[in-house]
């Protein structure tokens, strides 16, 4: 599962010739949802264009679904034969093991300095960048314009307004007044959005886990008492509602409000659903922070092809190529130059609100090697906090103890 919440079930290889002096092997994730828009096509086109200008370098790209790509890279590393480059969901384990080039070992100064600063920082361990952001996204609160109009509502700016709107939508017979997907597919995302809107998050100011902070307990207590217990989150229990189900229900016109990323725009528009988007409401007004997510490119040291890797990555991160990838998959650019170009393009007007959230977005604590374990635990357990017999303080306390143990072990 991509950090961006993109799933696909495609796999394959994008190859090239074998006539060059140096062969670069890249393993990449597939952001497509059908053979027609598989990432294989993007990488084939890009690698062939690069090879045409660099006859001494062959680029061999293997593309796998998000279900398989992380395991494929891990198996290659465990076999002592890592790829030169991997574009996957997490970098910290490989960086901590000393297997990756530093970003400044391979990238030109212009390329590295062009990354959106928030994303560069998220790619650092001990203030050294190893993870190079490749794709990014932020989240906004989507609302169904027709359902809101029928109920005489305006989009909420605070928790109390969100709850009031949800009650009015329920009275109008809306199936999911607010869709709360805390199922195992992507519960860590919905959880983080709510924790941020409540004034805290997953970690404290020094980067240690703080899942059971006073603010976080208050956030989930509010969710349980003001939304879930009042039947405002729909017929499927939050612990069993996955993001894909919630998105599908929104495209059917059954959801009043839910948190979503840019890919939901195309899906909803294709079904004729008129929607609006606003920043996530907070306790007393607009949330002071929103959630940002990113997937990562990393360069392995084993082959020793630092110069060739760097030159290829400078090409990958050119404004033209970053924009082409972002447009193809409804994602946000990871470079400042491409972000500015997108913001200035009237054809990208629907992405401007998402772009505006990125500079102040909070990302998952991806620099911690324990995050994969903690995230998996949150996915499985957090839904219990808002169940009929749930206890938010107890659930968050259990998650905090497990997170602290994972952090210590790491």
């Amino acid at each position: 599962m991509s950090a961006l919440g993109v799933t696909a079930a495609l796999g394959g290889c994008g190859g090239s010739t074998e006539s060059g002096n140096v062969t670069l092997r890249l393993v990449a994730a597939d952001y497509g949802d059908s053979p027609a828009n598989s990432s294989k096509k993007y990488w084939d086109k890009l690698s062939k264009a690069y090879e045409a200008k660099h006859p001494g370098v062959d680029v061999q790209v293997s593309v796998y679904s998000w279900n398989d790509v992380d395991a494929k890279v891990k198996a290659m590393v465990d076999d002592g034969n890592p790829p030169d480059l991997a574009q996957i969901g997490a970098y910290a384990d490989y960086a901590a093991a000393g297997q990756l080039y530093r970003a400044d070992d391979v990238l030109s100064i212009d390329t590295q300095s062009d990354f959106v600063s928030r994303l560069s920082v998220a790619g650092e361990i001990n203030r050294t960048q190893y993870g190079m952001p490749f794709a990014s996204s932020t989240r906004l609160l989507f609302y169904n314009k027709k359902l809101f109009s029928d109920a005489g509502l305006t989009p909420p700016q605070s928790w109390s307004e969100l709850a009031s709107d949800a009650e009015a939508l329920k009275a109008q017979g809306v199936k999911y007044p607010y869709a709360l997907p805390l199922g195992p597919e992507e519960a860590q995302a919905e959880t983080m959005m709510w924790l941020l809107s409540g004034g805290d998050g997953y970690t404290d100011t020094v980067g240690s886990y703080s899942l059971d902070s006073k603010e976080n307990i208050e956030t989930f207590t509010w969710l349980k008492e003001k939304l879930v217990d009042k039947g405002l989150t729909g017929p499927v229990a939050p612990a069993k509602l996955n993001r894909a189900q919630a998105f599908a229900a929104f495209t059917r016109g059954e959801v009043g409000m839910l948190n979503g990323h840019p890919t939901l725009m195309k899906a909803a528009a294709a079904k004729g659903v008129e929607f609006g988007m606003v920043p996530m409401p907070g306790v007393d007004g607009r949330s002071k922070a929103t959630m940002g997510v990113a997937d990562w490119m990393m360069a392995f040291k084993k082959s020793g092809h630092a110069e060739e890797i760097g030159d290829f990555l400078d090409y990958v991160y050119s404004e033209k190529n970053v924009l082409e990838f972002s447009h193809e998959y409804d994602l946000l650019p990871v470079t400042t130059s491409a972000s500015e170009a997108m913001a200035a393009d009237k054809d990208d007007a629907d992405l401007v609100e998402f772009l505006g959230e990125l500079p102040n977005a909070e990302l998952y604590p991806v620099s911690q090697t324990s995050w994969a374990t903690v995230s998996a635990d949150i996915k499985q357990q957090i839904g219990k906090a808002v169940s009929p017999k749930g206890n938010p303080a107890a659930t968050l306390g259990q998650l905090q103890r497990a997170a602290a143990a994972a952090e210590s072990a790491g």
Side-chain angles (χ1 to χ4, degrees), residues 204-340:
D204 59 22
T205 55
V206 296
S208 295
Y209 291 109
S210 58
L211 277 77
D212 63 346
S213 70
K214 175 178 176 288
E215 293 85 356
N216 290 346
I217 291 172
E218 289 176 350
T219 294
F220 264 80
T221 299
W222 186 91
L223 271 175
K224 175 175 165 51
E225 294 178 353
K226 302 299 184 181
L227 293 185
V228 182
D229 289 352
K230 293 186 176 182
L232 301 179
T233 55
V236 180
K240 295 183 178 180
L241 183 67
N242 283 321
R243 176 191 54 79
Q245 293 172 274
F247 278 20
F250 188 83
T251 67
R252 293 193 301 268
E254 299 172 353
V255 175
M257 298 173 281
L258 85 171
N259 285 312
H261 49 65
T263 56
L264 181 57
M265 295 189 300
K266 183 182 292 186
K271 296 288 188 178
V273 175
E274 293 189 23
F275 59 87
M277 301 176 297
V278 294
M280 179 69 177
V283 179
D284 299 314
R286 175 178 172 174
S287 176
K288 295 180 176 60
T290 190
M291 187 185 79
V293 289
D295 294 328
W296 304 94
M297 180 75 77
M298 61 213 69
F300 285 88
K301 295 191 294 186
K302 184 72 179 288
S303 71
H305 295 148
E307 183 176 349
E308 292 83 4
I309 288 171
D311 190 70
F312 177 65
L313 287 177
D314 285 343
Y315 182 76
V316 168
Y317 285 109
S318 67
E319 180 181 315
K320 172 182 176 293
N321 287 327
V322 171
L323 279 172
E324 184 174 339
F325 183 85
S326 301
H327 284 140
E328 179 65 31
Y329 300 107
D330 294 316
L331 297 168
L332 302 182
V334 296
T335 62
T336 300
S337 59
S339 296
E340 291 175 348

Side-chain angles (χ1 to χ4, degrees), residues 72-323:
K72 291 287 186 182
V73 173
K74 184 178 185 301
M76 294 172 73
V77 173
D78 290 346
D79 288 343
N81 187 33
D84 296 281
L85 292 160
Q87 187 272 298
I88 52 178
Y91 68 87
D93 285 350
Y94 301 120
Q99 296 167 324
L100 301 182
Y101 282 117
R102 296 164 28 147
D104 57 12
D105 287 335
V106 291
L107 296 177
S108 68
I109 294 174
D110 288 345
T111 297
Q112 187 175 8
S113 63
D114 195 26
F115 288 132
V116 174
S117 60
R118 201 73 171 183
L119 302 178
S120 286
V121 171
E124 294 178 355
I125 294 180
N126 296 326
R127 298 188 178 183
T128 298
Q129 185 179 2
Y130 295 93
M132 294 166 274
F134 182 74
S136 69
S137 182
T138 56
R139 307 293 170 98
L140 292 170
L141 183 75
F142 282 64
Y143 65 95
N144 184 306
K145 284 188 173 181
K146 182 179 186 305
L147 297 179
F148 264 62
S149 176
D150 290 347
L153 302 174
T154 56
Q157 297 184 22
S158 66
W159 284 4
S160 61
E161 291 178 7
L162 187 149
S164 176
D165 286 353
E167 289 178 349
L169 290 166
K170 182 182 179 182
Q172 291 286 319
V174 175
K175 191 171 184 180
Y176 294 89
Y178 177 85
L180 182 66
L182 294 178
E185 180 189 351
E186 207 191 18
Q188 84 285 2
E190 185 73 13
T191 297
M192 184 170 173
M193 284 181 275
W194 278 100
L195 297 186
L196 290 172
S197 72
D200 204 355
Y202 282 137
T203 58
D204 59 22
T205 55
V206 296
S208 295
Y209 291 109
S210 58
L211 277 77
D212 63 346
S213 70
K214 175 178 176 288
E215 293 85 356
N216 290 346
I217 291 172
E218 289 176 350
T219 294
F220 264 80
T221 299
W222 186 91
L223 271 175
K224 175 175 165 51
E225 294 178 353
K226 302 299 184 181
L227 293 185
V228 182
D229 289 352
K230 293 186 176 182
L232 301 179
T233 55
V236 180
K240 295 183 178 180
L241 183 67
N242 283 321
R243 176 191 54 79
Q245 293 172 274
F247 278 20
F250 188 83
T251 67
R252 293 193 301 268
E254 299 172 353
V255 175
M257 298 173 281
L258 85 171
N259 285 312
H261 49 65
T263 56
L264 181 57
M265 295 189 300
K266 183 182 292 186
K271 296 288 188 178
V273 175
E274 293 189 23
F275 59 87
M277 301 176 297
V278 294
M280 179 69 177
V283 179
D284 299 314
R286 175 178 172 174
S287 176
K288 295 180 176 60
T290 190
M291 187 185 79
V293 289
D295 294 328
W296 304 94
M297 180 75 77
M298 61 213 69
F300 285 88
K301 295 191 294 186
K302 184 72 179 288
S303 71
H305 295 148
E307 183 176 349
E308 292 83 4
I309 288 171
D311 190 70
F312 177 65
L313 287 177
D314 285 343
Y315 182 76
V316 168
Y317 285 109
S318 67
E319 180 181 315
K320 172 182 176 293
N321 287 327
V322 171
L323 279 172

